[in-house]
Amino acid sequence: MIGGSSFEELNGSGSDCSEEVEIIVNVGGIRQILYGDILNRYPETRLAELMNCVTGGYDAIFALCDDYDPGQREFYFDRDPDAFKCIMEVYYYGEVHMKKGICPICFQNEMEFWKVDLCFLDECCKIHLNEKKEELEEIARRVQTILDDLGFDTTESRWKRFQKYVWKFMEKPESSFPARVTAVLSFLFILISSIVMCLGTIPDLQVEDSEGNHVEHPTLDNIETACIIWFTIEYVLRLMSSPNKLHFALSFMNIIDVLAILPFYVSLILTHLGTRMMELTNVQQAVQALRIMRIARIFKLARHSSGLQTLTYALKSSFKELGLLLMYLAVGIFVFSALGYTMEQSHPETLFKSIPQSFWWAIITMTTVGYGDIYPKTTLGKLNAATSFLCGVIAIALPIHPIINNFVKYYNKQRVLETATKHELELMELHSSGGDLRGFKSEAHRSEEVKMRSHLKASHSDTFIPVLSKEKHHRTRLQSCK
């Protein structure tokens, strides 16, 4: 029989012998022998309290464990054994490492059950835990947004309800068929406007005005005007219905929208009123300079393309790698342009007139463009060009892998969030009485909402979100939540 001292022995031995006591714990069907001197290193943990309370009777024991066998002197815990093995590391090494494959949120619940502070969790595991928390908060935010959209608050004014309806209509194409048609039309208007901007620069499609200057064809100009009217109405409606107008106005994509429509109105004002304040030539030059800003409207496509949004996030997450690329290229350009200028000075027909001029040659060589307007003519200069070419290829290839990883990581994360959000909504609909989520947000069905959340809290969904219920829920199926 494997065991330590009995309760009677413990009563008579005192605290000095507690360090020599060994206890048997059965966690999820796996038996382990633990020693008092090790557990007492952290007396505030559950195991240390269990070992020190064996003299307090069964009430104190059952307050800390799920079951106890006095014959075997074995304590039973209905917890995850793999997580318990990881948590036991704190007694031996002073820190906890989370095993791969365990849900970080569930592991945090296990640490709270065993009364091990999160400060003992290693930094790499904390990063993983924080990422998972952010994912759950994002899922909760998406679910709550959908529930708010489905809800109908009778206490709100008609104007508030109208604002919500317009906002959902303009910002969420998946909310209804008309909203989806509107999003498609907006996408087509962006494409048509971009195509018209390009066609307007073709000389054969231009016409001469009364002064002999080439201007855009009136038909293209009318199409451009129609597109601008659509963009303006779209922006005004979205601004009026926005819940937070300051945040809306300062958003990057909305700034792009303003830059896409602003040149048209500025050009219109300068054309009709600017001639009174300045010469006609200056007005035309200002209008042409503003027209080039119309290229900003192509960025409006990012609003309707998840791929472009993912690419933007990947580039924002790769600033460090892009900075290293620029640093490598800057050093290489300076070194190889200086070497190229020095090596080519002996040739009478050299094209390297100065080091700043050689910068251009180094840039097009290291980036493998090679226009051929500047090229070396000496043997040493050609060797220097070959070296700069190889170094440029290596320097450009280095940050490509991290950027692709960031792109794939963000794309997969968005797909997981969308799937998890749909799963949560399906669970809510399943546990609702009528199978309709709209009843959850009305005053007449508040009790149904409470009932739904209680059912959801009691379920063992792998994507259960404590943020929505604001209650802690300890689960033992850690391996199922990966």
Side-chain angles (χ1 to χ4, degrees), residues 33 40 59 65-66 86 147 152 158 176 194 205 217 253 356 382 392 399 408 420 441:
I33 301 176
N40 279 330
D59 292 338
C65 66
D66 296 324
C86 299
L147 292 178
F152 180 77
R158 291 184 178 181
S176 63
S194 302
L205 297 180
H217 196 279
M253 291 306 304
K382 293 178 181 179
V408 174
K441 302 309 293 181

Side-chain angles (χ1 to χ4, degrees), residues 205-222:
L205 297 180
Q206 294 178 345
V207 296
E208 292 185 358
D209 58 9
S210 58
E211 299 181 358
N213 298 321
H214 286 81
V215 295
E216 290 185 0
H217 196 279
T219 303
L220 298 179
D221 198 23
N222 293 334

Side-chain angles (χ1 to χ4, degrees), residues 311-362:
L311 178 61
T312 302
Y313 175 83
L315 294 177
K316 288 173 60 178
S317 303
S318 306
F319 276 155
K320 182 178 180 180
E321 290 78 7
L322 293 175
L324 290 175
L325 171 62
L326 294 177
M327 185 188 69
Y328 294 153
L329 290 178
V331 173
I333 289 170
F334 182 82
V335 172
F336 291 113
S337 60
L339 291 176
Y341 170 76
T342 303
M343 295 175 180
E344 290 295 311
Q345 288 304 300
S346 60
H347 198 280
E349 299 179 358
T350 180
L351 300 175
F352 293 79
K353 304 299 182 181
S354 64
I355 291 181
Q357 185 186 20
S358 302
F359 287 166
W360 169 249
W361 167 84

Side-chain angles (χ1 to χ4, degrees), residues 8-25:
E8 293 77 6
E9 293 172 344
L10 289 173
N11 287 330
S13 56
S15 60
D16 293 337
C17 296
S18 64
E19 296 185 353
E20 301 177 359
V21 176
E22 60 182 32
I23 62 174
I24 302 176
V25 296

Side-chain angles (χ1 to χ4, degrees), residues 23 25 27 34 39-40 42-53 64 75 77 84 87-88 91 113-116:
I23 62 174
V25 296
V27 181
L34 305 177
L39 299 180
N40 279 330
Y42 300 97
E44 296 180 355
T45 59
R46 181 179 291 267
L47 290 175
E49 292 178 358
L50 181 66
M51 190 204 64
N52 294 325
C53 80
L64 296 173
F75 302 90
F77 294 91
F84 179 74
I87 294 174
M88 280 301 299
Y91 297 100
F113 174 81
W114 296 108
K115 299 183 180 181
V116 177

